[in-house]
Amino acid sequence: MTSFMGQLSVNQGGVVMLVVGLTGGIGSGKSQVSRWFAEHGIVIIDADVLAREVVAKGSPTLKKIVAKFGDWVIDEAGELNRRAMREHVFGSVQALMDLEQITHPAIRSRAKELLRAAQSPYVILVAPLLLEASEAGLANLCERVLVVDSHESLQIERASQRDGQTPERIQNIMANQLSRHDRLRQADDIVDNNGSLDDLYLKLEQLHQKYLAMAGVN
């Protein structure tokens, strides 16, 4: 169970909302799960989308990155050169920390803005590294953590097919994430995604009804 749950979020209309943090290992099926909730009228806030938004061309966050690392981080179009940045921080813990100290507060601030504007009974905040210490402090915005769980062999198969990467590369990514055991240990809710889509959707419907009840709708 999570021990870092924050205060209930209040939107601009003064309505108290339940915020559910959605996470899971690579290839576990987070996108399928978040799409299902979105199709049922639930606001989705995706940390990966926010991470791209906050470093958009001309943004204050991008300017801070340039000031810290130099003009080389900008490509010819004035955008963040993501490949160069990834290569730079890959071999340097300090560089990664410097980058995160700039981007993570911006991601968290944007997430809070979207939570205040949300109009659904509850909100799903998707963050692949929600439970890892480096994930922008987003866990503190969540009252519950929902983990999408799959067998590791299935994760590798799905991620390899989706991203066109080798199984070895997927395994390296998994090695830098929480172990399946540790992720499940910190979950408030777990959805098993080792079966068919019909099975998954049935489980999500049950969770949906549970969250609606917790939000005071049912």
Side-chain angles (χ1 to χ4, degrees):
M1 299 289 287
T2 53
S3 59
F4 39 65
M5 294 184 292
Q7 299 297 314
L8 288 170
S9 296
V10 180
N11 67 13
Q12 292 175 351
V15 177
V16 176
M17 296 182 306
L18 173 71
V19 181
V20 178
L22 172 63
T23 192
I26 184 173
S28 60
K30 295 182 296 297
S31 296
Q32 290 176 327
V33 171
S34 64
R35 277 197 299 269
W36 187 94
F37 281 113
E39 290 169 358
H40 287 73
I42 302 304
V43 170
I44 306 297
I45 300 174
D46 191 322
D48 283 347
V49 173
L50 301 189
R52 292 190 291 272
E53 286 182 357
V54 299
V55 296
K57 181 178 179 179
S59 66
T61 302
L62 183 57
K63 292 176 182 177
K64 291 178 182 179
I65 293 174
V66 173
K68 179 65 179 180
F69 294 97
D71 291 338
W72 63 266
V73 303
I74 301 296
D75 62 20
E76 294 180 355
E79 306 278 355
L80 177 66
N81 189 327
R82 298 178 184 279
R83 174 175 292 183
M85 195 77 244
R86 281 196 302 268
E87 292 176 354
H88 182 68
V89 302
F90 181 77
S92 171
V93 173
Q94 185 59 54
L96 178 60
M97 290 176 60
D98 290 341
L99 179 63
E100 290 176 343
Q101 286 174 358
I102 296 171
T103 58
H104 283 183
I107 294 170
R108 179 181 170 86
S109 177
R110 180 59 178 152
K112 292 174 73 173
E113 289 178 5
L114 294 175
L115 285 172
R116 287 193 292 268
Q119 295 297 313
S120 58
Y122 64 92
V123 176
I124 299 290
L125 198 167
V126 186
L129 302 178
L130 181 72
L131 300 175
E132 282 81 348
S134 63
E135 184 62 49
L138 296 180
N140 292 326
L141 301 178
C142 304
E143 286 72 58
R144 298 187 71 79
V145 170
L146 169 60
V147 169
V148 186
D149 182 54
S150 297
H151 297 310
E152 292 183 356
S153 59
L154 190 53
Q155 288 180 246
I156 294 171
E157 178 183 339
R158 287 173 179 156
S160 298
Q161 292 175 350
R162 179 193 67 197
D163 302 334
Q165 300 189 65
T166 65
E168 291 75 21
R169 172 59 179 162
I170 301 300
Q171 288 176 316
N172 288 337
I173 294 173
M174 291 170 64
N176 289 319
Q177 298 181 339
L178 275 184
S179 70
R180 184 183 178 196
H181 174 268
D182 287 340
R183 188 181 297 113
L184 293 175
R185 183 174 54 83
Q186 297 187 58
D188 294 292
D189 302 300
I190 300 168
V191 60
D192 183 296
N193 189 23
N194 290 301
S196 68
L197 281 178
D198 287 340
D199 289 339
L200 175 64
Y201 294 159
L202 179 61
K203 295 166 186 172
L204 294 179
E205 177 61 36
Q206 294 170 343
L207 279 171
H208 179 52
Q209 295 304 320
K210 174 181 178 178
Y211 294 151
L212 288 174
M214 293 180 69
V217 175
N218 286 355

